[in-house]
């Protein structure tokens, strides 16, 4: 099989780490980024070690995704190393100061929350897609994935959080329109509750009304993305927003413990908004 090259942004922990390690286990060469260093004792370095141990090949790159020059240099490095990029997973995210502030009303929060939730949680994804398209369109293939959520459809966390996720879905939809016929697809994914290291460390059984034992494992999301990339019907889904739990059921994928995660479609009052029904 031809080498498959992926980039997962924000992969030092949580969803990004789970996606990256799952892709590595599926045989991908995975570039992973975070703002920290890549030594073995740092989170990003640990992600690299886990991918290599699973049979994949990993390259850790320290990158500030709010710095366009750093992002451009990252894609230049991938192109120089491999001459191709098959998959981009836009996952990088930065919490506002006082993450617990999500319990506050928007007028009670600093306007500076914009600089993390929109600048990093949205603009950085757009910049990465621009750079990825410069590689993927000439090669005639590739998949760009935005990590989004049901926060597009119902109120979740905060006003700015919902704005960023809704914008990611519309971005994939409009990019899909402009990518039509190039062989490249743009997709936005709605994840449900995720069993991240942080959430599991709290010793709780449910979060925001959802049971943790029915939540998605981070690696499950990575396996779904791997199968989506392989799916012959992917071009028909170009520009769509898809639900990871539902995609997993279609592909016969389950969590690490063998259980299928539940879709949050019903609690949030419906499915994705793009493409329009």
């Amino acid at each position: 099989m031809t080498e498959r090259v992926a980039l997962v942004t924000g992969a030092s922990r949580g969803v990004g780490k789970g996606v990256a390690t799952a892709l590595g286990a599926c045989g991908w060469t995975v570039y992973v980024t975070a703002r920290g260093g890549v030594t073995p004792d740092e989170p990003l370095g640990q992600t690299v070690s886990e991918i290599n141990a699973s049979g994949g090949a990993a390259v850790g790159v320290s990158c500030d995704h709010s710095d366009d020059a750093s992002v451009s240099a990252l894609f230049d490095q991938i192109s120089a190393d491999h001459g191709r990029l098959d998959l981009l997973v836009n996952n990088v995210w930065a919490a506002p100061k006082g993450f617990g502030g999500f319990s506050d009303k928007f007028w009670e929060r600093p306007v500076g929350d914009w600089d993390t939730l929109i600048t990093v949680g949205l603009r950085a994804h757009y910049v990465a897609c621009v750079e990825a398209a410069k590689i993927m369109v000439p090669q005639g293939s590739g998949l760009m994935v935005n990590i989004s959520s049901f926060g597009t459809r119902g109120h979740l966390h905060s006003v700015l959080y919902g704005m960023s996720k809704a914008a990611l879905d519309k971005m994939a939809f409009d990019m899909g329109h402009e990518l039509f016929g190039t062989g490249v697809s743009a997709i936005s994914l709605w994840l449900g509750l995720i069993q991240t290291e942080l959430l599991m460390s709290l010793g709780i059984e449910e979060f925001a009304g959802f049971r943790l034992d029915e939540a998605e494992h981070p690696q499950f999301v990575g396996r779904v993305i791997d199968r989506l990339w392989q799916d012959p019907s992917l071009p028909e889904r170009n520009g769509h927003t898809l639900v990871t739990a539902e995609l997993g059921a279609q592909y016969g994928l389950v969590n690490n413990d063998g259980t299928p995660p539940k879709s949050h479609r019903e609690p949030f009052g419906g499915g994705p908004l793009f493409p329009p029904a």
Side-chain angles (χ1 to χ4, degrees):
M1 175 179 282
T2 303
E3 180 185 32
R4 296 173 295 168
V5 180
L7 166 62
V8 181
T9 67
S12 60
R13 56 178 59 87
V15 172
K17 180 178 181 178
V19 168
T21 54
L23 291 175
C26 291
W28 287 78
T29 295
V30 190
Y31 280 73
V32 290
T33 67
R35 284 180 296 181
V38 295
T39 58
D41 60 334
E42 295 179 276
L44 187 61
Q46 292 167 12
T47 299
V48 171
S49 297
E50 288 187 29
I51 294 171
N52 289 332
S54 70
V59 179
V61 181
S62 180
C63 180
D64 179 355
H65 282 271
S66 66
D67 179 359
D68 293 354
S70 294
V71 176
S72 179
L74 165 66
F75 282 87
D76 286 345
Q77 178 181 343
I78 295 172
S79 184
D81 290 348
H82 301 278
R84 65 181 300 106
L85 177 63
D86 302 289
L87 172 64
L88 164 66
V89 181
N90 276 317
N91 172 75
V92 67
W93 190 79
K97 283 188 177 180
F99 185 67
F102 275 2
S103 62
D104 299 331
K105 305 300 184 184
F106 71 89
W107 63 88
E108 299 169 337
R109 291 292 304 163
V111 174
D113 284 359
W114 181 282
D115 298 330
T116 52
L117 293 170
I118 302 298
T119 300
V120 179
L122 175 60
R123 187 182 185 278
H125 294 55
Y126 177 81
V127 173
C129 283
V130 169
E131 297 295 339
K134 292 176 183 178
I135 300 173
M136 292 178 175
V137 171
Q139 76 188 18
S141 64
L143 171 62
M144 298 185 289
V145 174
N146 291 332
I147 298 298
S148 186
S149 84
F150 284 86
T152 291
R153 187 167 189 95
H155 182 273
L156 185 64
H157 299 318
S158 75
V159 171
L160 286 173
Y161 181 88
M163 286 170 58
S164 70
K165 297 306 183 183
L168 287 177
D169 297 350
K170 185 62 163 68
M171 185 174 86
F173 182 71
D174 287 350
M175 284 183 175
H177 177 80
E178 297 189 10
L179 288 167
F180 180 78
T182 66
V184 182
S185 297
I187 296 289
S188 203
L189 292 179
W190 279 7
L191 281 57
L193 184 65
I194 302 292
Q195 293 187 22
T196 62
E197 304 98 315
L198 175 60
L199 197 56
M200 298 305 291
S201 71
L202 299 178
I204 57 179
E205 294 185 356
E206 69 172 47
F207 181 82
F210 298 100
R211 291 185 56 84
L212 262 66
D213 60 3
E214 296 175 346
E216 300 170 34
H217 291 186
Q219 295 83 2
F220 167 82
V221 179
R223 291 191 290 269
V224 167
I225 293 172
D226 172 65
R227 287 292 296 276
L228 182 63
W229 182 85
Q230 298 181 60
D231 193 335
S233 68
L234 175 60
E236 300 169 16
R237 290 169 154 167
N238 180 28
H240 291 209
T241 297
L242 305 169
V243 178
T244 48
E246 296 171 6
L247 268 180
Q250 293 174 27
Y251 293 141
L253 300 172
V254 293
N255 278 330
N256 299 348
D257 60 7
T259 61
K262 286 193 173 183
S263 169
H264 296 343
R265 179 185 289 263
E266 184 176 349
F268 278 91
L273 308 180
F274 299 105

